[in-house]
Amino acid sequence: MTLEPHQPIRLTQQVKAGGCASKLPAGSLRQVLSALPAQTSPDLVVGFETSDDAGIFRIGPKQALVQTIDFFTPLVDDPFTFGQIAATNALSDVYAMGGRPLTALAVVCFPQDSDLGILEQIMRGGLSKMSEANCIVVGGHSVRDVEMKFGYAVTGLIDPERVYTNAGAVPGDTLILTKPIGTGVITTALKQGKSEAVWVDHAIRSMTTLNGTASALAIACSGVHAITDITGFGLMGHAREMALGSGVTLEIETAHLPLLDGALSAVRLEAIPGGLLANRDFAECLVQDSVGSQIPDDLRALLYDPQTSGGLLISVARENAPGLLASFQREGVPAAVIGCVSGASTPGAHAPAIILR
């Protein structure tokens, strides 16, 4: 009798949706959070009211905690790589606020009868990225679950007088994005068996690159007014939060958007994650095309693509933007200017939060 060769488990086939595409829709989450009572504390610097990247709590005159949690289902098949992506993504929210990660707690959901060697590799991958970030994993929690999920709760330190939120963009600012977009459609293509290896390789390289360097360069640059990271709600979802939180209108030059190799091809192959459709339902009502613009449908779809471990969207004074961009280029950060902050919005005027060109 000839034994069949052992077939490795494809993690992406064990879950319905992968990575940040598995998050609850932004509209559903906003509906619940808006119904909760307000928290009042003189030491709460940033809470969940503005849908920011992390919470910040003052513990001293010049020191505050920055805290976040992020975990999700597999979006790649290799367990070690999945762990790396989950860790990089969880650290990103601390970097987006301008903080320095210190400790992390692992969050594990794992099928009871699955191979524990897979879980070991996932956790090894995560630990490798936490070590790269000089963030110590001090413990965690696990539960049995039909679908595996992994991530971290991360705690860092930040100066409460130097916090970068998504609500500080100023008219006249330049918008810089530090990573290309397209991870959602590419990993969906992988799950559907439609992707090319080079697409996945480039997406993995992006998703396992820490935002620490980009964050450090941004906070060292004068004139930076707002930062947010682009994750599950897509570029338009997070840009929407920046525009509304800052009371401004963002103008996006769609032809200047950095795209991952294969992202447009994945859209054309109809590798559309459910999160993309949910993001479009949430944000498109506040997005308007400029007069005469002709935006291809495949590129328009990528504007709402849920990103996993995406880049930072930075609003910086126009005069400081060239210097910041040059510093990114020197350090190998694939940043690009994608638009500007055009002006203050008028409350109650139903003006668009985002204009596409």
Side-chain angles (χ1 to χ4, degrees), residues 34 50 186 296:
S34 63
T50 57
I186 290 173

Side-chain angles (χ1 to χ4, degrees), residues 139-164:
H141 186 67
S142 64
V143 296
R144 296 189 300 269
D145 198 341
V146 175
E147 287 194 337
M148 64 181 69
K149 305 172 185 72
F150 182 69
Y152 292 94
V154 183
T155 297
L157 288 177
I158 195 168
D159 182 343
E161 303 302 321
R162 297 197 65 195
V163 172
Y164 293 88

Side-chain angles (χ1 to χ4, degrees), residues 5 8 15 17-18 21 23 40 43 64 67 74 89 97 112 189 192 204 232 262 304 308 347:
V15 296
K23 289 185 175 182
T40 56
D43 293 316
Q67 296 181 288
N89 185 76
M97 305 298 288
Q112 181 171 351
Q192 295 176 352
I204 287 174
Y304 301 91
T308 299

Side-chain angles (χ1 to χ4, degrees), residues 136-330:
I136 303 300
V137 179
V138 295
H141 186 67
S142 64
V143 296
R144 296 189 300 269
D145 198 341
V146 175
E147 287 194 337
M148 64 181 69
K149 305 172 185 72
F150 182 69
Y152 292 94
V154 183
T155 297
L157 288 177
I158 195 168
D159 182 343
E161 303 302 321
R162 297 197 65 195
V163 172
Y164 293 88
T165 72
N166 63 3
V170 175
D173 278 0
T174 295
L175 296 173
I176 295 177
L177 182 63
T178 66
K179 283 185 183 182
I181 61 175
T183 63
V185 294
I186 290 173
T187 54
T188 299
L190 171 65
K191 180 177 175 61
Q192 295 176 352
K194 300 175 180 177
S195 63
E196 295 186 13
V198 67
W199 305 352
V200 179
D201 289 345
H202 289 172
I204 287 174
R205 187 177 305 119
S206 180
M207 291 186 290
T208 55
T209 298
L210 295 173
N211 279 328
T213 297
S215 174
L217 293 172
I219 64 179
C221 174
S222 60
V224 170
H225 297 132
I227 305 176
T228 190
D229 65 336
I230 307 303
T231 54
F233 300 149
L235 176 60
M236 289 297 96
H238 291 285
R240 174 190 188 275
E241 299 295 348
M242 180 179 283
L244 294 180
S246 305
V248 298
T249 301
L250 305 187
E251 295 190 15
I252 305 296
E253 299 288 345
T254 56
H256 296 168
L257 289 174
L259 308 178
L260 283 167
D261 183 24
L264 289 172
S265 297
V267 174
R268 293 165 191 154
L269 291 171
E270 299 183 349
I272 305 297
L276 187 155
L277 302 176
N279 289 343
R280 202 159 183 170
D281 287 342
F282 171 65
E284 197 166 28
C285 60
L286 292 179
V287 178
Q288 178 178 297
D289 291 2
S290 63
V291 177
S293 63
Q294 294 182 330
I295 303 168
D297 290 342
D298 50 4
L299 178 57
R300 188 184 299 277
L302 287 177
L303 299 174
Y304 301 91
D305 187 41
Q307 301 305 284
T308 299
S309 191
L312 303 179
L313 178 62
I314 301 167
S315 183
V316 56
R318 182 188 294 117
E319 62 271 22
N320 300 107
L324 179 57
L325 195 63
S327 67
F328 284 147
Q329 292 170 345
R330 284 194 300 269

Side-chain angles (χ1 to χ4, degrees), residues 47-96:
F48 58 72
E49 293 79 12
T50 57
S51 302
D52 223 313
D53 298 304
I56 297 179
F57 191 84
R58 189 190 310 270
I59 57 175
K62 291 291 185 180
Q63 201 167 67
L65 296 177
V66 51
Q67 296 181 288
T68 185
I69 182 170
D70 216 316
F71 65 101
F72 45 61
T73 52
L75 70 168
V76 294
D77 289 320
D78 179 64
F80 187 87
T81 304
F82 170 44
Q84 287 187 309
I85 294 170
T88 305
N89 185 76
L91 288 161
S92 184
D93 285 338
V94 173
Y95 291 134

